[in-house]
Amino acid sequence: MSLELSQLHKLKQTKGASIWIGKLPQEVQLHLGSKMDNIYLSQASLIHILTEHQDVNLFELLIIPEMLLKGLWIADRPNWCCISFQCTEEDRRYKAAIKAADNGYEHYLTTFHKTSKRQTKSILKRGPVLRKHL
C-alpha cells in the first residue's frame, strides 16, 4: 500500500472523509480483539496532526504505510496502540496512535508526530510490545 500526496490534499479539503492507509498486524488485531484489520485516516485527524504538530508536513505523512508495516507496535490504553518508527534514511523518529472504534470494526490513526529517543523509551513503558520494529 502506498499513500499519495494527492490523497492527503483531497482528504484535507473533504469534510467528514476518511481514507484507507493500511492494515493492522495480526498480533495487534488479536490484542485489540478486532474483527477487521483496516486502518483509516480521517479528515479530522489529519487536521489535528497538521495543526497540533506544525513541524510535520504532508510529505512526512507519506511514510505512514511503511510505519504501519515496519514500526514497533506497543499496547496502550484499552482500544489503543502506539507505533514507534525510526526512518533510517532521514534519521528521524515518529510516533503514531491507532484507536479501535465501532467495537473493533474500524481503526483510525489519531495522531502522528516526531519524537526523540527519550520519548521512544517512555512509550515502551506504557504497555507490552505487540510487534518489534522490522
Side-chain angles (χ1 to χ4, degrees):
M1 158 54 185
S2 66
L3 188 58
E4 296 178 4
L5 198 55
S6 61
Q7 290 175 289
L8 295 174
H9 278 289
K10 186 175 180 180
L11 179 61
K12 187 177 174 187
Q13 303 302 321
T14 309
K15 187 173 177 101
S18 295
I19 59 172
W20 182 80
I21 56 170
K23 292 187 173 275
L24 288 175
Q26 188 176 22
E27 309 93 301
V28 177
Q29 191 177 354
L30 289 170
H31 170 76
L32 293 173
S34 299
K35 294 150 185 83
M36 303 291 283
D37 62 356
N38 294 316
I39 305 171
Y40 301 93
L41 174 64
S42 69
Q43 189 238 13
S45 291
L46 177 60
I47 298 298
H48 160 79
I49 292 164
L50 297 173
T51 304
E52 298 295 319
H53 307 290
Q54 294 182 1
D55 60 334
V56 172
N57 60 52
L58 287 177
F59 289 106
E60 288 173 296
L61 293 172
L62 296 176
I63 71 160
I64 290 173
E66 183 180 7
M67 181 182 201
L68 297 175
L69 285 171
K70 299 179 181 177
L72 171 69
W73 287 76
I74 301 150
D76 202 345
R77 298 172 281 171
N79 300 326
W80 289 80
C81 289
C82 290
I83 307 129
S84 179
F85 183 69
Q86 183 164 353
C87 188
T88 53
E89 295 97 36
E90 301 162 10
D91 196 33
R92 290 192 182 149
R93 294 174 185 264
Y94 296 96
K95 175 196 167 205
I98 302 288
K99 177 183 181 182
D102 194 23
N103 293 318
Y105 283 99
E106 295 182 346
H107 305 89
Y108 287 91
L109 187 134
T110 59
T111 194
F112 174 93
H113 55 88
K114 294 177 183 174
T115 61
S116 67
K117 194 172 190 176
R118 179 190 58 78
Q119 289 169 315
T120 301
K121 287 180 182 179
S122 176
I123 293 168
L124 287 167
K125 295 177 185 174
R126 288 187 178 185
V129 171
L130 300 174
R131 193 186 75 189
K132 292 184 178 184
H133 203 287
L134 301 177

